[in-house]
Amino acid sequence: MTSRLLAAATAACLLAVAAPAMAQDIGGTYRADGTNFDGSRYGGTAVITVTSKTTCNIAWDTGSIAKGICMRNGDSFAASYVMGDAIGLVIYDLQPDGSLEGLWTVAGQDGVGTEVLTPQ
């Protein structure tokens, strides 16, 4: 009986520690590191402003300015953006360290870029 009680207490502690990580706030400033369609690298910053439990605004400055809206569902995170005349989409996975690893594309263009947003 004691081992069951110990196991239950251990499980409860693990859940208590994991819950804040799953509910972590994604708002803030991030370093952006990515690759373009041709493999060339870029860097800059991104700022995410939370607007509700699931939605946000996002703005990148990577030498060009892009602004958009974003949405979170668990560990999935998506953003649509406008940069000049281009309309794009990014799909990220939230990592345990709080970074976002993603793939992006631009409407009407063939290719996919990569991007990692690291909290600052």
Side-chain angles (χ1 to χ4, degrees):
M1 191 74 141
T2 304
S3 62
R4 286 186 186 170
L5 184 58
L6 181 58
T10 301
C13 288
L14 289 174
L15 286 174
V17 170
M22 290 188 287
Q24 92 187 72
D25 182 15
I26 57 166
T29 301
Y30 292 77
R31 184 181 77 237
D33 296 296
T35 59
N36 293 304
F37 292 175
D38 64 3
S40 62
R41 301 196 60 77
Y42 68 86
T45 59
V47 176
I48 298 173
T49 305
V50 175
T51 56
S52 78
K53 289 182 181 181
T54 57
T55 60
C56 51
N57 293 319
I58 186 167
W60 294 264
D61 184 351
T62 59
S64 299
I65 302 295
K67 293 182 180 182
I69 61 169
C70 40
M71 184 176 128
R72 178 177 177 185
N73 183 19
D75 288 341
S76 298
F77 183 83
S80 63
Y81 63 91
V82 175
M83 185 168 57
D85 293 334
I87 298 171
L89 175 68
V90 188
I91 300 173
Y92 297 100
D93 286 319
L94 180 62
Q95 302 301 303
D97 66 358
S99 65
L100 298 162
E101 293 184 5
L103 299 173
W104 59 269
T105 194
V106 176
Q109 295 187 19
D110 185 25
V112 174
T114 65
E115 186 168 83
V116 175
L117 299 181
T118 306
Q120 298 296 288

